[in-house]
Structures are given as C-alpha cells and as structure tokens.
Amino acid sequence: DAGVTQSPTHLIKTRGQQVTLRCSPKSGHDTVSWYQQALGQGPQFIFQYYEEEERQRGNFPDRFSGHQFPNYSSELNVNALLLGDSALYLCASSLGAVIQINEQFFGPGTRLTVL
Amino acid sequence: EDQVTQSPEALRLQEGESSSLNCSYTVSGLRGLFWYRQDPGKGPEFLFTLYSAGEEKEKERLKATLTKKESFLHITAPKPEDSATYLCAVQATSGGSYIPTFGRGTSLIVHP
C-alpha cells in the first residue's frame, strides 16, 4: 500500500513564475490538506480539499490555489512566486471532511526554491 | 489567535541521557494537542494525541504529558535513532474550523 506521494521532489523557480505541485493520497483516503513548512519553522496549514472543494483555508493569499480531482489526488498552485515562498510543501491525506490531524498521513514533501 | 511555543530550539544529548522537551500553548478551547516526529527530508510522523490536562501517553522511550498550559515530551535513555525534530501542534474547538497550529519544533541530536 503506497502512502502519500508527492511530485516533484525538488523544484527551482524564479520570482514571478507559477508552480504546480501534485499529491496522491494514501489508498482509502478522500481528503487532502496542504501545508507550507519554511526552514526552521513548523508546518503552516494552507487549505484542505474534500469532495473536490476547498473546505478550510489558512492565512494564505489568493496566489495559493488548489484543486482536487475525482480520484482524490490534488494539486497546489502558486502564482507570482516570491522569494518567501521557498519552503517544503507537505501534503497530508485523511478520511472525511473534519480535520483530524492525528489521523493525517503526511507525504515526503516537495522542496520549492525560488530564486 | 492560537499560539504554540516549543523549547529548547535544539537539544544535544548523550545516548542514555534522559531529558524533556516543552510545548507551551495558548488556545481558546483545546480540542487536542499532538506530538510529531520529523526526520530530515520527510513529512511529520504522528506520535501522540492528548486531550485533557493530566493525560499521559507512552510509546517506547517517549512519554507525553499535558497540563492546562503546556505539554512535555519526556525521552528516557535516548538512542541515536531518536535523533529528529519533534513538533507539537494544537487544535482549538472555537470557530469550528479545527485548523491546526504547529510549533517550530525542537531539533534533537543524540550522540552515541
């Protein structure tokens, strides 16, 4: 049983560009949450997708958007990249609409570097 | 606004030297406090959930405790494989959003 997978592993972009990160949830899970973890910081909740809709959103600007597909996989899009967007982006999958973080399984993350 | 502060930021121990990590929190109605372990280049791995003051959970060399203002992660006779960053997170009951707030973590290195 594959756990949560994310792609790509690493990514380098320049300021102003746009990026798309991808996540496949653990088998049997239907909910995907995205987190941003800057170096030396804890993860910050970006948003959660359930039934192909954004259900919860943290304190992130509209430059951060997402999508969930019928197979429960998800994409995180970031537009107009800033240097401060450099971070490890974590995807976590779970079951059901309510955020039960003790039942979330995290992927290995995508390391985004913005130059 | 929910806040989580972890201390120390970094901790170096000798193998077998027991110690404790601290997580202080401010939240309007605690739904749960969570401890995670994160290895370099990996996502966090869930360790414990604590729901109310006085509660304790144990797993191998780790023991988590909770009071109304803080939680401790006690590490007894640590081994080098316990080296990792330990994260604390809280969820509040107010507002119904359940958005978690994580601390910055404590980086633990255990020397053989």
Side-chain angles (χ1 to χ4, degrees):
Chain A
D1 173 30
V4 179
T5 60
Q6 293 187 242
S7 63
T9 306
H10 296 87
L11 203 52
I12 299 175
K13 292 286 188 178
T14 56
R15 281 179 298 175
Q17 285 189 312
Q18 179 263 344
V19 69
T20 297
L21 311 181
R22 296 176 176 82
C23 171
S24 291
K26 179 180 168 62
S27 177
H29 285 181
D30 58 6
T31 301
V32 172
S33 299
W34 287 93
Y35 293 81
Q36 179 194 67
Q37 187 175 23
L39 197 61
Q41 306 290 319
Q44 277 195 292
F45 178 84
I46 303 174
F47 43 53
Q48 176 209 28
Y49 274 84
Y50 173 71
E51 293 186 336
E52 301 181 45
E53 290 185 5
E54 183 184 297
R55 298 294 179 137
Q56 300 278 0
R57 187 178 184 94
N59 189 24
F60 279 82
D62 292 344
R63 297 188 297 110
F64 290 78
S65 63
H67 187 77
Q68 186 179 35
F69 299 94
N71 67 352
Y72 309 122
S73 67
S74 176
E75 289 182 348
L76 164 66
N77 301 292
V78 187
N79 294 322
L81 284 167
L82 303 174
L83 296 179
D85 294 331
S86 296
L88 180 69
Y89 287 85
L90 296 163
C91 168
S93 75
S94 57
L95 188 63
V98 177
I99 300 174
Q100 305 275 20
I101 68 168
N102 56 324
E103 296 174 6
Q104 286 185 337
F105 285 80
F106 282 87
T110 293
R111 172 71 63 187
L112 172 64
T113 301
V114 182
L115 302 177
Chain B
E1 182 179 330
D2 302 336
Q3 289 191 334
V4 176
T5 303
Q6 292 189 245
S7 62
E9 289 186 8
L11 184 62
R12 292 178 180 269
L13 299 174
Q14 289 297 127
E15 184 172 2
E17 180 186 3
S18 301
S19 188
S20 296
L21 313 182
N22 178 264
C23 172
S24 298
Y25 64 92
T26 303
V27 64
S28 51
L30 182 68
R31 183 167 186 254
L33 184 141
F34 311 89
W35 282 98
Y36 285 84
R37 169 191 172 126
Q38 187 173 24
D39 293 297
K42 295 188 177 181
E45 176 187 342
F46 171 73
L47 292 173
F48 302 111
T49 304
L50 300 166
Y51 293 106
S52 57
E55 191 174 358
E56 300 182 351
K57 293 278 180 71
E58 280 189 73
K59 180 180 180 181
E60 296 180 354
R61 295 176 293 283
L62 300 177
K63 179 179 177 180
T65 62
L66 181 65
T67 71
K68 288 186 177 180
K69 294 183 178 181
E70 58 191 350
S71 176
F72 292 93
L73 185 64
H74 307 278
I75 303 177
T76 302
K79 298 182 178 182
E81 54 261 42
D82 294 323
S83 298
T85 294
Y86 290 85
L87 296 165
C88 172
V90 297
Q91 272 188 303
T93 57
S94 64
S97 70
Y98 302 152
I99 290 176
T101 300
F102 280 82
R104 292 185 173 187
T106 293
S107 175
L108 173 66
I109 298 175
V110 181
H111 297 284

